[in-house]
């Protein structure tokens, strides 16, 4: 499993929940999303990986962060809770084991996504505008690879 395949899986799951989401592809900076695409823009972070090995196999624990931006409009608090519900649906779609297994069946790789665990979800206001906010989700993606010498 390579990182691009993980990103593709996340993108597919996000789009399956709501096709209005648009990816912000800046390498590191999610803070500079233009206002023209701000509502429902998302960013998948560059992952951090910890690995462990045992004889003829190894496991990667890959930390992936997903951020999404939203405009609050007239009733910001209602929009925050609606957006949290939407991002909960995205989280549930990403960790869905059936979807994960179906995706693994479509890729040509010796290393597959074994499990995706949700870690956190949180809301943060933007300092520059009190009706705009972001929701951040973090996940641990577990992959395993076995090989013979």
């Amino acid at each position: 499993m390579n990182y691009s395949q993980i990103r593709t899986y996340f993108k597919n799951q996000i789009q399956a929940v709501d096709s209005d989401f648009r990816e912000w592809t800046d390498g590191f900076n999610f803070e500079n999303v233009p206002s023209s695409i701000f509502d429902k823009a998302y960013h998948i972070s560059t992952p951090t990986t910890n690995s462990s090995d045992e004889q003829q196999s190894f496991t990667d624990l890959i930390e992936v962060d997903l951020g999404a931006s939203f405009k609050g409009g007239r009733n910001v608090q209602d929009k925050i809770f609606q957006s949290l519900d939407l991002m909960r649906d995205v989280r549930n779609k990403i960790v869905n084991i059936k979807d994960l297994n179906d995706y693994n069946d479509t890729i040509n790789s010796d290393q597959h996504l074994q499990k995706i665990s949700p870690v956190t979800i949180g809301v943060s206001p933007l300092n520059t505008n009190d009706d705009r906010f972001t929701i951040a989700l973090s996940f641990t993606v577990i992959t395993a690879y076995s090989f013979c010498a």
Side-chain angles (χ1 to χ4, degrees), residues 34-112:
S35 61
S36 61
I37 67 162
F38 188 85
D39 198 38
K40 293 187 180 176
Y42 71 91
H43 183 263
I44 300 169
S45 71
T46 306
T48 301
T49 304
N50 293 303
S51 299
S52 63
D53 64 341
E54 226 180 272
Q55 294 187 7
Q56 298 296 316
S57 66
F58 66 88
T59 301
D60 286 335
L61 299 175
I62 304 165
E63 304 301 325
V64 177
D65 295 321
L66 168 63
S69 59
F70 298 93
K71 292 180 183 178
R74 291 184 183 198
N75 193 333
V76 177
Q77 189 172 27
D78 284 348
K79 180 67 179 218
I80 288 170
F81 282 92
Q82 291 166 2
S83 300
L84 278 167
D85 288 342
L86 177 62
M87 294 309 291
R88 182 205 53 227
D89 292 345
V90 167
R91 178 202 63 194
N92 292 347
K93 185 72 171 163
I94 288 171
V95 302
N96 183 294
I97 193 68
K98 181 186 179 317
D99 291 345
L100 194 58
N101 289 335
D102 289 348
Y103 182 72
N104 282 330
D105 290 343
T106 67
I107 58 174
N108 184 18
S109 177
D110 293 331
Q111 188 176 16
H112 287 93

